[in-house]
């Protein structure tokens, strides 16, 4: 009888340890993602045509300060091909005006993405789970590509012109050299 009681208590102890480990793992993973499960949060949505590589866990930034993160990125349920982004704000006391924008931008030169919260000036506050206006700021590499496109075109034209001159010079020298040769 004593041995049977020890088996039950040992099995019970293993079960408790497994449940505790799973709970610690759950809270640990969410902590590493930046989700604080013990504080009140606000959730907002935005709909984009193109998210430009934005993924879950990218930061949500207000005035250079991280106030939350992207919780989820997925296709719109109505099948129109647009992408719905869910963001969470870790401070439930922050009042978000209804005309606030969620702008995707590149915070660095390495192609990383983040969302900037651009506060609106409406006197009506957005409610939790509202859809806010979306915007996309062109990243640094695309801006550079646009700036260098005319220079690239001029360089290609210059190379084509030089190639044409070299080809004509080769013809001239080939013709004059062939004139002095006996047939």
């Amino acid at each position: 009888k004593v041995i049977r009681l020890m088996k039950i208590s040992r099995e019970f102890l293993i079960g408790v340890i497994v449940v505790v480990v799973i709970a610690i793992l759950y809270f640990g993973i969410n902590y590493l993602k930046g989700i604080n499960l013990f504080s009140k949060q606000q959730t907002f949505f935005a709909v984009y045509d193109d998210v430009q590589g934005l993924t879950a866990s990218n930061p949500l930034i207000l005035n250079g300060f991280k106030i939350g993160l992207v919780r989820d990125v997925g296709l719109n349920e109505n099948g129109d091909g647009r992408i719905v982004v869910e963001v969470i704000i870790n401070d439930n006391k922050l009042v978000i005006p209804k005309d606030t924008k969620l702008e995707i931008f590149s915070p660095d030169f390495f192609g990383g993405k983040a969302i900037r919260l651009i506060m609106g000036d409406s006197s009506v506050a957005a409610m939790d789970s509202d859809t806010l206006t979306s915007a996309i700021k062109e990243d640094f590499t695309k801006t550079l590509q646009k700036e260098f496109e005319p220079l690239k075109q001029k360089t290609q034209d210059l190379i084509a012109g030089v190639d044409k001159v070299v080809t004509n010079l080769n013809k001239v020298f080939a013709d004059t050299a062939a004139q002095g040769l006996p047939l």
Side-chain angles (χ1 to χ4, degrees), residues 5-183:
L5 183 61
M6 288 180 70
K7 277 188 177 179
I8 293 173
S9 64
R10 195 176 284 164
E11 291 169 353
F12 178 74
L13 182 62
I14 290 172
V16 168
I17 290 172
V18 168
V19 169
V20 169
V21 167
I22 290 172
I24 289 172
L25 187 65
Y26 176 74
F27 287 111
I29 288 172
N30 282 317
Y31 175 76
L32 290 175
K33 286 182 179 179
I35 300 171
N36 187 352
L37 297 173
F38 299 112
S39 70
K40 287 268 192 178
Q41 299 169 335
Q42 296 182 67
T43 302
F44 294 101
F45 296 91
V47 180
Y48 297 92
D49 292 325
D50 181 8
V51 292
Q52 301 183 351
L54 185 77
T55 59
S57 298
N58 285 129
L60 176 65
I61 297 173
L62 174 65
N63 299 330
F65 181 70
K66 182 180 173 185
I67 61 166
L69 57 90
V70 175
R71 177 181 281 166
D72 190 27
V73 178
L75 288 173
N76 200 347
E77 291 177 357
N78 67 10
D80 64 357
R82 298 180 74 194
I83 296 140
V84 177
V85 175
E86 178 183 2
V87 297
I88 56 173
I89 298 174
N90 292 327
D91 185 1
N92 69 334
K93 294 178 183 140
L94 183 64
V95 178
I96 307 294
K98 191 89 169 154
D99 59 346
T100 297
K101 289 183 185 176
L102 294 174
E103 178 184 66
I104 297 175
F105 75 106
S106 292
D108 54 31
F109 295 119
F110 303 112
K113 296 294 178 186
I115 293 186
R116 179 182 295 129
L117 191 70
I118 302 172
M119 299 294 261
D121 54 3
S122 174
S123 60
V124 178
M127 302 302 292
D128 193 36
S129 299
D130 274 355
T131 300
L132 301 175
T133 306
S134 61
I136 298 176
K137 182 174 183 174
E138 202 168 67
D139 64 353
F140 184 70
T141 55
K142 288 190 180 183
T143 303
L144 278 179
Q145 284 175 346
K146 283 185 178 179
E147 293 292 325
F148 284 120
E149 190 62 37
L151 181 62
K152 177 183 168 188
Q153 185 61 41
K154 287 180 182 179
T155 305
Q156 287 174 342
D157 293 345
L158 178 67
I159 290 171
V162 168
D163 187 43
K164 195 175 199 179
V165 167
V166 169
T167 303
N168 288 337
L169 282 175
N170 282 338
K171 283 184 182 178
V172 168
F173 288 128
D175 288 345
T176 55
Q179 288 176 358
L181 293 175
L183 293 173

